[in-house]
Amino acid sequence: MIPVPDQSELSRDKAIDQAFTKVLINLTGFSNAAEKVTINVNEETFVEALSFQKIFRENSEDDVSTTNSELGLKVIFSEKDLNKFIVDSGLRMLSSVRPEFLFWILVDEEIKGRDFLRNSSDHQFKIELNQKLESRKITHFLPIYDLQDELSLSKDDAWNLNTESVKAASSRYDSDGWILVRFYEAESGMIRGTWTHDVDGELITEDFFSSSIRDFFNQKIDMFLDKLLLPFSYVSDQSYKKVKLAIKNIDQYADYKALTSRIKDLDIVRSVELSSISLNDLELVIETNASTKFLRRDLNGLSFLSERTGISSSEGRLAFDWIN
Protein backbone atom coordinates (compact mmCIF):
# COMPACT_ATOMS: atom_id res chain seq x y z
CA MET A 1 0.00 0.00 0.00
CA ILE A 2 1.62 3.23 -1.20
CA PRO A 3 0.22 6.71 -0.34
CA VAL A 4 -0.59 8.76 -3.46
CA PRO A 5 -1.79 12.38 -3.93
CA ASP A 6 -4.40 11.48 -6.54
CA GLN A 7 -5.52 8.81 -9.03
CA SER A 8 -3.57 10.20 -11.99
CA GLU A 9 -1.46 7.95 -14.22
CA LEU A 10 1.71 9.69 -12.98
CA SER A 11 0.85 8.96 -9.33
CA ARG A 12 -0.04 5.39 -10.23
CA ASP A 13 3.28 4.77 -12.02
CA LYS A 14 5.35 6.30 -9.20
CA ALA A 15 3.49 4.17 -6.63
CA ILE A 16 4.14 0.97 -8.61
CA ASP A 17 7.86 1.86 -8.72
CA GLN A 18 7.92 2.40 -4.94
CA ALA A 19 5.98 -0.80 -4.28
CA PHE A 20 8.32 -2.78 -6.54
CA THR A 21 11.34 -1.55 -4.57
CA LYS A 22 9.69 -2.37 -1.25
CA VAL A 23 8.71 -5.88 -2.30
CA LEU A 24 12.21 -6.62 -3.65
CA ILE A 25 13.64 -5.62 -0.24
CA ASN A 26 11.06 -7.85 1.42
CA LEU A 27 11.84 -10.88 -0.74
CA THR A 28 15.64 -10.57 -0.89
CA GLY A 29 16.27 -9.00 2.53
CA PHE A 30 18.60 -6.33 1.06
CA SER A 31 18.00 -2.59 0.76
CA ASN A 32 19.86 -2.20 -2.54
CA ALA A 33 18.11 -5.01 -4.43
CA ALA A 34 16.37 -2.68 -6.88
CA GLU A 35 19.63 -0.79 -7.56
CA LYS A 36 21.39 -4.05 -8.45
CA VAL A 37 18.99 -4.83 -11.28
CA THR A 38 21.08 -4.13 -14.39
CA ILE A 39 18.33 -4.41 -16.99
CA ASN A 40 15.34 -2.21 -17.71
CA VAL A 41 12.38 -3.72 -15.89
CA ASN A 42 8.71 -3.18 -16.59
CA GLU A 43 7.36 -3.55 -13.05
CA GLU A 44 3.80 -3.84 -14.30
CA THR A 45 4.54 -7.28 -15.79
CA PHE A 46 4.71 -8.59 -12.19
CA VAL A 47 1.50 -6.87 -11.02
CA GLU A 48 -1.53 -9.08 -10.38
CA ALA A 49 -3.93 -6.41 -9.12
CA LEU A 50 -4.18 -2.65 -8.46
CA SER A 51 -6.75 -0.73 -6.44
CA PHE A 52 -7.02 2.78 -4.99
CA GLN A 53 -8.08 2.66 -1.34
CA LYS A 54 -8.37 4.91 1.68
CA ILE A 55 -5.57 4.60 4.28
CA PHE A 56 -6.77 5.32 7.81
CA ARG A 57 -4.23 6.44 10.42
CA GLU A 58 -4.72 6.89 14.17
CA ASN A 59 -3.25 10.08 15.67
CA SER A 60 -3.03 10.77 19.40
CA GLU A 61 -2.30 14.28 20.63
CA ASP A 62 -2.97 15.61 24.13
CA ASP A 63 -4.82 12.38 24.99
CA VAL A 64 -7.23 12.97 22.11
CA SER A 65 -7.39 10.28 19.42
CA THR A 66 -8.33 11.22 15.88
CA THR A 67 -8.48 9.25 12.66
CA ASN A 68 -7.12 10.73 9.45
CA SER A 69 -7.39 9.21 6.00
CA GLU A 70 -5.37 9.56 2.81
CA LEU A 71 -5.46 7.96 -0.59
CA GLY A 72 -3.30 4.91 -1.29
CA LEU A 73 -2.63 2.49 -4.13
CA LYS A 74 -2.66 -1.19 -3.17
CA VAL A 75 -0.29 -3.15 -5.43
CA ILE A 76 -0.38 -6.95 -5.46
CA PHE A 77 2.57 -8.67 -7.16
CA SER A 78 3.05 -12.26 -8.27
CA GLU A 79 5.47 -13.74 -5.73
CA LYS A 80 6.28 -16.68 -8.02
CA ASP A 81 7.20 -14.41 -10.95
CA LEU A 82 9.22 -12.08 -8.73
CA ASN A 83 11.18 -14.95 -7.17
CA LYS A 84 12.04 -16.19 -10.66
CA PHE A 85 13.08 -12.66 -11.63
CA ILE A 86 15.37 -12.46 -8.56
CA VAL A 87 17.08 -15.72 -9.52
CA ASP A 88 17.38 -14.77 -13.20
CA SER A 89 18.81 -11.36 -12.28
CA GLY A 90 21.48 -12.88 -10.03
CA LEU A 91 20.41 -10.82 -7.01
CA ARG A 92 21.78 -11.61 -3.56
CA MET A 93 19.07 -12.97 -1.30
CA LEU A 94 18.55 -14.42 2.18
CA SER A 95 17.77 -18.02 2.95
CA SER A 96 14.08 -18.89 3.30
CA VAL A 97 14.79 -19.36 7.01
CA ARG A 98 15.53 -15.77 7.93
CA PRO A 99 18.03 -15.15 10.76
CA GLU A 100 16.92 -14.05 14.22
CA PHE A 101 19.03 -11.48 16.08
CA LEU A 102 19.45 -10.35 19.69
CA PHE A 103 19.77 -6.56 20.07
CA TRP A 104 21.37 -4.95 23.14
CA ILE A 105 20.40 -1.26 22.82
CA LEU A 106 21.87 1.04 25.47
CA VAL A 107 20.63 4.64 25.44
CA ASP A 108 22.26 7.51 27.35
CA GLU A 109 19.80 10.40 27.60
CA GLU A 110 20.61 13.84 29.02
CA ILE A 111 17.82 13.70 31.60
CA LYS A 112 17.18 9.98 32.26
CA GLY A 113 20.74 8.68 32.05
CA ARG A 114 21.74 5.24 30.71
CA ASP A 115 19.43 2.28 30.35
CA PHE A 116 18.88 -0.75 28.12
CA LEU A 117 15.80 -0.82 25.92
CA ARG A 118 13.58 -3.85 26.49
CA ASN A 119 10.83 -5.54 24.47
CA SER A 120 8.26 -3.48 26.38
CA SER A 121 10.02 -0.16 25.65
CA ASP A 122 8.22 2.44 23.52
CA HIS A 123 11.40 4.35 22.61
CA GLN A 124 11.43 5.72 19.05
CA PHE A 125 14.67 3.85 18.24
CA LYS A 126 13.00 0.51 19.01
CA ILE A 127 9.86 1.42 17.02
CA GLU A 128 11.90 2.45 13.95
CA LEU A 129 14.07 -0.69 14.24
CA ASN A 130 10.96 -2.89 14.34
CA GLN A 131 9.65 -1.32 11.13
CA LYS A 132 12.98 -1.65 9.30
CA LEU A 133 13.45 -5.31 10.21
CA GLU A 134 9.83 -6.21 9.47
CA SER A 135 10.25 -4.74 5.96
CA ARG A 136 12.98 -7.35 5.42
CA LYS A 137 11.11 -10.18 7.17
CA ILE A 138 13.83 -10.36 9.87
CA THR A 139 13.01 -11.51 13.40
CA HIS A 140 14.69 -9.87 16.38
CA PHE A 141 14.24 -9.44 20.11
CA LEU A 142 15.70 -7.48 23.01
CA PRO A 143 17.10 -8.95 26.26
CA ILE A 144 15.03 -9.38 29.39
CA TYR A 145 17.80 -7.62 31.31
CA ASP A 146 16.94 -9.31 34.57
CA LEU A 147 19.42 -10.00 37.38
CA GLN A 148 21.20 -12.70 35.35
CA ASP A 149 21.74 -10.29 32.45
CA GLU A 150 22.81 -7.51 34.80
CA LEU A 151 25.43 -9.74 36.43
CA SER A 152 26.71 -10.86 33.02
CA LEU A 153 26.70 -7.44 31.34
CA SER A 154 26.70 -4.21 33.31
CA LYS A 155 25.73 -0.94 31.67
CA ASP A 156 29.30 0.29 32.05
CA ASP A 157 30.70 -2.81 30.31
CA ALA A 158 28.24 -2.38 27.47
CA TRP A 159 29.01 1.32 27.12
CA ASN A 160 32.75 0.55 27.06
CA LEU A 161 32.15 -2.06 24.31
CA ASN A 162 33.32 -5.01 26.40
CA THR A 163 32.42 -7.53 23.71
CA GLU A 164 33.47 -10.56 25.77
CA SER A 165 30.85 -9.63 28.37
CA VAL A 166 28.25 -9.08 25.64
CA LYS A 167 29.07 -12.50 24.18
CA ALA A 168 28.76 -14.17 27.60
CA ALA A 169 25.45 -12.46 28.36
CA SER A 170 24.09 -13.40 24.91
CA SER A 171 24.82 -17.11 25.37
CA ARG A 172 21.58 -17.69 27.31
CA TYR A 173 19.54 -16.53 24.33
CA ASP A 174 18.96 -18.56 21.17
CA SER A 175 19.84 -16.29 18.24
CA ASP A 176 21.89 -16.22 15.05
CA GLY A 177 23.99 -13.33 16.32
CA TRP A 178 24.04 -10.39 18.71
CA ILE A 179 24.17 -6.64 18.04
CA LEU A 180 25.18 -4.00 20.57
CA VAL A 181 24.02 -0.45 19.87
CA ARG A 182 25.04 2.28 22.31
CA PHE A 183 24.22 5.92 21.71
CA TYR A 184 23.95 9.27 23.42
CA GLU A 185 20.74 11.22 22.76
CA ALA A 186 20.71 14.99 23.33
CA GLU A 187 17.58 16.99 24.14
CA SER A 188 17.82 18.42 20.62
CA GLY A 189 17.29 14.89 19.25
CA MET A 190 20.86 14.51 18.00
CA ILE A 191 22.34 11.04 18.51
CA ARG A 192 25.95 9.83 18.49
CA GLY A 193 26.85 6.21 19.01
CA THR A 194 28.39 2.90 17.98
CA TRP A 195 27.03 -0.21 16.26
CA THR A 196 28.85 -3.49 17.06
CA HIS A 197 27.81 -6.94 15.89
CA ASP A 198 29.19 -10.45 16.09
CA VAL A 199 28.11 -13.13 13.62
CA ASP A 200 30.04 -16.41 13.42
CA GLY A 201 32.92 -14.93 15.39
CA GLU A 202 33.43 -11.92 13.11
CA LEU A 203 33.28 -8.63 15.01
CA ILE A 204 32.37 -5.41 13.17
CA THR A 205 32.25 -2.03 14.92
CA GLU A 206 31.21 1.28 13.33
CA ASP A 207 30.46 4.72 14.76
CA PHE A 208 27.52 6.86 13.69
CA PHE A 209 26.24 10.39 14.12
CA SER A 210 22.83 11.73 13.08
CA SER A 211 20.78 14.83 13.69
CA SER A 212 17.89 12.64 14.87
CA ILE A 213 16.80 9.02 15.26
CA ARG A 214 14.58 9.36 12.19
CA ASP A 215 17.53 10.67 10.17
CA PHE A 216 19.62 7.67 11.28
CA PHE A 217 16.96 5.22 10.10
CA ASN A 218 16.38 7.10 6.85
CA GLN A 219 20.04 7.37 5.89
CA LYS A 220 22.31 4.93 7.74
CA ILE A 221 20.57 1.87 9.16
CA ASP A 222 20.29 0.12 5.78
CA MET A 223 24.09 0.05 5.44
CA PHE A 224 24.46 -1.57 8.88
CA LEU A 225 21.72 -4.13 8.23
CA ASP A 226 23.09 -5.10 4.80
CA LYS A 227 26.49 -5.89 6.36
CA LEU A 228 24.85 -7.80 9.20
CA LEU A 229 22.84 -9.99 6.82
CA LEU A 230 25.63 -10.71 4.34
CA PRO A 231 26.74 -14.04 5.95
CA PHE A 232 23.15 -15.35 5.69
CA SER A 233 22.80 -14.59 1.99
CA TYR A 234 23.68 -16.16 -1.32
CA VAL A 235 23.43 -15.44 -5.03
CA SER A 236 21.21 -17.95 -6.79
CA ASP A 237 23.07 -20.04 -9.32
CA GLN A 238 21.24 -20.08 -12.64
CA SER A 239 22.31 -23.70 -13.00
CA TYR A 240 20.84 -26.33 -10.68
CA LYS A 241 22.65 -29.15 -8.88
CA LYS A 242 21.31 -32.29 -7.24
CA VAL A 243 21.64 -33.10 -3.53
CA LYS A 244 20.66 -36.43 -1.98
CA LEU A 245 18.51 -36.22 1.15
CA ALA A 246 18.22 -39.29 3.40
CA ILE A 247 15.15 -39.34 5.68
CA LYS A 248 14.51 -41.85 8.49
CA ASN A 249 11.24 -42.63 10.27
CA ILE A 250 8.86 -42.03 7.36
CA ASP A 251 6.31 -44.85 7.55
CA GLN A 252 3.13 -43.29 6.18
CA TYR A 253 2.30 -42.09 2.69
CA ALA A 254 0.63 -38.96 4.09
CA ASP A 255 3.89 -38.02 5.85
CA TYR A 256 5.83 -38.52 2.62
CA LYS A 257 3.44 -36.24 0.72
CA ALA A 258 3.59 -33.58 3.44
CA LEU A 259 7.40 -33.74 3.44
CA THR A 260 7.87 -33.40 -0.31
CA SER A 261 5.21 -30.69 -0.57
CA ARG A 262 6.90 -28.50 2.04
CA ILE A 263 10.35 -29.02 0.53
CA LYS A 264 9.06 -28.02 -2.92
CA ASP A 265 7.74 -24.78 -1.38
CA LEU A 266 11.29 -23.68 -0.48
CA ASP A 267 12.45 -20.88 -2.80
CA ILE A 268 15.79 -22.54 -3.58
CA VAL A 269 14.24 -25.91 -4.56
CA ARG A 270 13.33 -26.64 -8.16
CA SER A 271 12.22 -30.27 -7.85
CA VAL A 272 12.05 -33.23 -5.45
CA GLU A 273 12.19 -36.84 -6.65
CA LEU A 274 12.10 -40.15 -4.81
CA SER A 275 15.36 -42.04 -5.36
CA SER A 276 15.01 -45.14 -3.17
CA ILE A 277 12.97 -46.56 -0.28
CA SER A 278 13.50 -49.33 2.27
CA LEU A 279 11.25 -50.02 5.27
CA ASN A 280 10.74 -46.59 6.88
CA ASP A 281 13.82 -44.99 5.29
CA LEU A 282 13.81 -43.14 2.01
CA GLU A 283 16.17 -41.10 -0.11
CA LEU A 284 15.16 -38.05 -2.09
CA VAL A 285 17.01 -36.17 -4.80
CA ILE A 286 16.59 -32.40 -4.48
CA GLU A 287 17.42 -30.06 -7.35
CA THR A 288 18.57 -26.72 -5.93
CA ASN A 289 20.17 -23.49 -7.18
CA ALA A 290 21.94 -22.73 -3.88
CA SER A 291 24.78 -24.30 -1.94
CA THR A 292 24.24 -27.25 0.40
CA LYS A 293 24.84 -24.85 3.32
CA PHE A 294 21.68 -22.90 2.54
CA LEU A 295 19.65 -25.99 1.67
CA ARG A 296 20.60 -27.42 5.07
CA ARG A 297 19.55 -24.18 6.77
CA ASP A 298 16.16 -24.19 5.03
CA LEU A 299 15.55 -27.86 5.87
CA ASN A 300 16.44 -27.22 9.52
CA GLY A 301 13.76 -24.54 9.49
CA LEU A 302 11.06 -27.19 8.89
CA SER A 303 9.58 -28.14 12.26
CA PHE A 304 9.10 -31.81 11.38
CA LEU A 305 12.75 -32.43 10.39
CA SER A 306 15.80 -32.85 12.61
CA GLU A 307 19.30 -33.13 11.18
CA ARG A 308 20.79 -36.48 12.06
CA THR A 309 23.65 -36.25 14.54
CA GLY A 310 26.72 -38.38 14.08
CA ILE A 311 26.18 -38.52 10.32
CA SER A 312 28.73 -36.64 8.23
CA SER A 313 27.01 -34.53 5.62
CA SER A 314 28.74 -33.68 2.38
CA GLU A 315 28.24 -31.23 -0.46
CA GLY A 316 26.06 -33.79 -2.22
CA ARG A 317 24.25 -35.54 0.66
CA LEU A 318 22.27 -34.57 3.77
CA ALA A 319 20.66 -36.77 6.45
CA PHE A 320 17.58 -35.91 8.54
CA ASP A 321 15.04 -37.64 10.78
CA TRP A 322 11.27 -37.21 10.41
CA ILE A 323 9.67 -36.05 13.69
CA ASN A 324 6.12 -37.31 14.21
Side-chain angles (χ1 to χ4, degrees), residues 176-243:
D176 290 293
W178 58 259
I179 299 92
L180 171 65
V181 182
R182 58 148 201 194
F183 66 92
Y184 168 76
E185 183 178 10
E187 280 193 271
S188 64
M190 178 273 295
I191 62 172
R192 182 189 300 275
T194 306
W195 171 290
T196 301
H197 76 255
D198 176 46
V199 176
D200 293 335
E202 182 181 4
L203 194 66
I204 296 178
T205 300
E206 298 187 59
D207 296 326
F208 60 85
F209 170 80
S210 292
S211 60
S212 67
I213 289 175
R214 179 156 294 178
D215 179 63
F216 172 76
F217 279 91
N218 286 338
Q219 299 182 14
K220 299 184 179 180
I221 187 66
D222 285 329
M223 174 187 68
F224 290 127
L225 292 179
D226 287 346
K227 290 182 179 179
L228 173 67
L229 296 170
L230 201 59
F232 302 94
S233 67
Y234 65 95
V235 176
S236 294
D237 192 340
Q238 299 211 23
S239 62
Y240 286 79
K241 59 177 172 290
K242 294 183 177 181
V243 177

Side-chain angles (χ1 to χ4, degrees), residues 146-295:
D146 55 5
L147 180 59
Q148 182 176 340
D149 283 340
E150 191 172 356
L151 293 174
S152 301
L153 179 63
S154 68
K155 296 173 184 177
D156 287 341
D157 278 347
W159 191 260
N160 293 322
L161 303 182
N162 186 332
T163 55
E164 288 301 316
S165 294
V166 180
K167 184 177 180 180
S170 301
S171 62
R172 70 181 289 202
Y173 297 99
D174 184 18
S175 72
D176 290 293
W178 58 259
I179 299 92
L180 171 65
V181 182
R182 58 148 201 194
F183 66 92
Y184 168 76
E185 183 178 10
E187 280 193 271
S188 64
M190 178 273 295
I191 62 172
R192 182 189 300 275
T194 306
W195 171 290
T196 301
H197 76 255
D198 176 46
V199 176
D200 293 335
E202 182 181 4
L203 194 66
I204 296 178
T205 300
E206 298 187 59
D207 296 326
F208 60 85
F209 170 80
S210 292
S211 60
S212 67
I213 289 175
R214 179 156 294 178
D215 179 63
F216 172 76
F217 279 91
N218 286 338
Q219 299 182 14
K220 299 184 179 180
I221 187 66
D222 285 329
M223 174 187 68
F224 290 127
L225 292 179
D226 287 346
K227 290 182 179 179
L228 173 67
L229 296 170
L230 201 59
F232 302 94
S233 67
Y234 65 95
V235 176
S236 294
D237 192 340
Q238 299 211 23
S239 62
Y240 286 79
K241 59 177 172 290
K242 294 183 177 181
V243 177
K244 291 184 178 180
L245 174 62
I247 305 287
K248 289 184 73 72
N249 302 330
I250 290 278
D251 56 7
Q252 295 185 31
Y253 180 71
D255 293 341
Y256 163 74
K257 292 295 290 182
L259 170 70
T260 55
S261 176
R262 288 293 303 277
I263 292 177
K264 287 178 182 177
D265 285 341
L266 298 176
D267 294 338
I268 62 177
V269 171
R270 182 182 188 181
S271 65
V272 179
E273 294 181 358
L274 179 63
S275 174
S276 64
I277 185 168
S278 61
L279 295 178
N280 63 345
D281 297 349
L282 57 84
E283 186 174 81
L284 303 174
V285 175
I286 298 177
E287 202 173 9
T288 176
N289 62 345
S291 68
T292 305
K293 168 188 172 182
F294 286 98
L295 178 59

